[in-house]
């Protein structure tokens, strides 16, 4: 448990660093993102191993690959819409969300696009952007991850209940 808390505290710190960097420079620095794979994998892997529960680390690995591939597909299908910094960050965020469960993974992954889309729509309505304007997406990926972390399981259960 303590190692999982340490991992999420690390995520909190890099969330601030990466959000500010993306807002200022429209880049997500590899010097922060790439080591985060190892930090998350080691801390969350050990957390699961010490608890005797390998489901969390297994989901974390699957979540990392799933989000990375989804973002890579978007970046390749629509060049210029999404940067590869976002793709690399998606893999890191998938580790954390997957560790928590399938609900947090899906909610966190989808929430990034919903939150970013709402922000973009707000800019359009306010006349502060046009259809061709881009926005830094890293902050919305991080916000979606924190929403998935805090309430992903409950939101997923609620949505599944609506579907029957």
């Amino acid at each position: 448990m303590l190692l999982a808390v340490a991992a999420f505290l690390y995520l909190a710190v890099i969330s601030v660093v990466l959000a500010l960097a993306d807002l200022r420079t429209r880049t997500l620095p590899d010097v922060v993102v790439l080591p985060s794979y190892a930090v998350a994998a080691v801390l969350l892997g050990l957390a699961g191993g010490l608890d005797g529960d390998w489901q969390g680390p297994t989901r974390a690995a699957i979540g990392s690959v799933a989000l990375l591939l989804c973002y890579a597909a978007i970046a390749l299908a629509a060049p210029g819409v999404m940067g590869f910094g976002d793709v690399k960050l998606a893999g890191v965020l998938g580790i954390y969300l997957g560790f928590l469960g399938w609900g947090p993974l899906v909610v966190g992954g989808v929430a990034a696009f919903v939150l970013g889309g709402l922000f973009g729509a707000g800019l359009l309505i306010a006349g502060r952007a046009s259809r061709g304007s881009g926005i830094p997406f890293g902050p919305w990926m991080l916000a979606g991850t924190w929403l998935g972390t805090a309430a992903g399981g409950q939101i997923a259960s609620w949505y599944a209940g609506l579907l029957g």
Side-chain angles (χ1 to χ4, degrees):
M1 175 72 164
L2 188 58
L3 290 172
V5 170
F8 279 91
L9 288 173
Y10 176 81
L11 177 60
V13 171
I14 68 163
S15 292
V16 173
V17 170
L18 291 171
L20 291 175
D22 203 14
L23 289 169
R24 288 185 183 149
T25 67
R26 291 188 174 229
T27 61
L28 295 163
D30 284 348
V31 69
V32 177
V33 175
L34 296 180
S36 298
Y37 278 93
V39 171
V42 168
L43 290 176
L44 295 175
L46 286 172
L50 291 174
D51 288 343
D53 177 15
W54 289 103
Q55 289 182 0
T58 301
R59 278 191 318 268
I62 294 168
S64 178
V65 171
L67 280 188
L68 189 132
L69 290 177
C70 286
Y71 275 70
I74 294 168
L76 292 171
V81 170
M82 181 172 293
F84 278 94
D86 296 325
V87 174
K88 290 178 264 187
L89 178 58
V92 172
L93 300 179
I95 295 172
Y96 286 95
L97 291 167
F99 182 80
L100 295 174
W102 300 118
L105 177 64
V106 172
V107 169
V110 171
F113 293 96
V114 172
L115 295 171
L118 289 172
F119 179 75
L123 289 177
L124 287 171
I125 291 167
R128 297 192 58 199
S130 66
R131 272 182 64 91
S133 299
I135 62 168
F137 196 55
W140 304 110
M141 294 171 66
L142 293 159
T145 295
W146 285 107
L147 179 62
T149 298
Q154 296 90 333
I155 293 170
S157 294
W158 168 78
Y159 188 71
L162 287 179
L163 297 176

